[in-house]
Amino acid sequence: MTVQDGQAGVHGKVAVVTGSTSGIGLAIARQFAARGANLVINGLGDAAAIEAERSAIEADFGVRCLYSPANMLSGAEIAEMVALAEGSLGGCDILVNNAGIQHVAPIDEFPDEKWQAIIAINLLAVFHSIKAALPGMKRRGWGRIVNIASAHALIASPYKSAYVAAKHGVAGLTKTVALEVATQGVTVNAICPGYVWTPLVEAQIPDTMASRGLTREQVIHDVLLEAQPTKEFVTVDQVAALALYLCSGEAASITGSILPIDGGWTAH
C-alpha cells in the first residue's frame, strides 16, 4: 500500500486502541468503526460488559472487532496484541495508545509500586506497542500512531509526579519516533486532553463533595475545572474526533505534534 492509497481515511484500515473498553478509548474505537475501520480493543472491566461493547461495535458499524486482554504491564502481551491484529485482521495500520492510570500523593509519600506501575502503563507500554506495530507500518508504507497524553505532558500539577513524568516522557517519545519514520509514510502525534467528562470523573464527585463540604456544582467548577478557562469539560467524542482527523489524509503533514485539547488550560 502506498501513502496515496491511505488518503481516503480509515475505511478498511485496522486500528489497535489500548484502554478502549470505556471512556476516551471506547469513544475512539466507535468513531473509527463508524468510518469503516476494523478494530482490536483492549482494556479492563467486567467480561460480559466488554463482550457487549465488542459485539455492539460489530453490529452497529458492520466491521470486525476483536478483544485483546493484553496486560499493559507486559511487553510480551502487548506484542501479542499487535500480532492478533496482524494475524486475524491483516495488519496494524493505526495504533492509539490510550491506556493509563493515576495516583496522587506528595513525592516523599509516593508508594514505590504506584510510581513503577504508572511509568510502566503510561510510558513503557507506549514504547512496547510502538515497537511492535512499526515494522508492519514500515512494510506497508503507511501508518498512524496517536498517543493519548494529557495536558500534563505540557505542564505540571502538584502531587502527580509519576503521571506528569510519564506524560512528559510520552511527548518526548512521540517527537523522537516521528523523526525516525518521517520519510516512511508514518505519522506520530500526541493528543493532550484536559479534564474529560467520563464515568470515572463523574464517580469522583460525591466523595469530593463530602470531603470538602461542597455542592456538586462547586466541585465541578471550582475543583475539577479550576484550570480550564472555558469551565467546560472536554468530551470523549471531541478527543475521538481529533484522533480520527490525525489518521486522515488531510493530516498527513502533521507529525511530531503535541496537541492540547484542554479548554485553554495550557494557554496560561
Side-chain angles (χ1 to χ4, degrees), residues 15-72:
V16 174
V17 186
T18 70
S20 51
T21 51
S22 65
I24 293 171
L26 180 58
I28 290 172
R30 288 187 62 84
Q31 283 210 25
F32 277 50
R35 271 65 173 190
N38 297 307
L39 293 164
V40 173
I41 61 171
N42 153 269
L44 303 175
D46 175 75
I50 291 171
E51 173 55 23
E53 293 291 358
R54 187 205 65 77
S55 60
I57 288 172
E58 289 193 333
D60 291 347
F61 306 114
V63 299
R64 293 189 65 193
C65 180
L66 307 179
Y67 170 68
S68 167
N71 185 339
M72 292 296 104

Side-chain angles (χ1 to χ4, degrees), residues 63 89 160-161 249:
V63 299
L89 298 177
K160 298 180 180 180
S161 55

Side-chain angles (χ1 to χ4, degrees), residues 27 29 31 34 88 96 103 140 147 161 181 199-200 206 210 222 233 241 246 260 267:
Q31 283 210 25
S88 298
V96 181
H103 183 75
R140 290 183 292 274
N147 299 321
S161 55
V181 297
L200 186 64
D222 300 337
F233 285 99
L246 290 173

Side-chain angles (χ1 to χ4, degrees), residues 194-197 201 205 216-234 262-263 265 268:
Y195 274 103
V196 179
W197 185 252
V201 168
I205 292 175
R216 177 183 173 86
E217 290 70 25
Q218 287 173 324
V219 170
I220 290 173
H221 290 280
D222 300 337
V223 179
L224 295 177
L225 294 178
E226 180 183 12
Q228 292 186 193
T230 59
K231 300 303 179 187
E232 297 285 345
F233 285 99
V234 181
D262 61 7
W265 183 352
H268 287 293

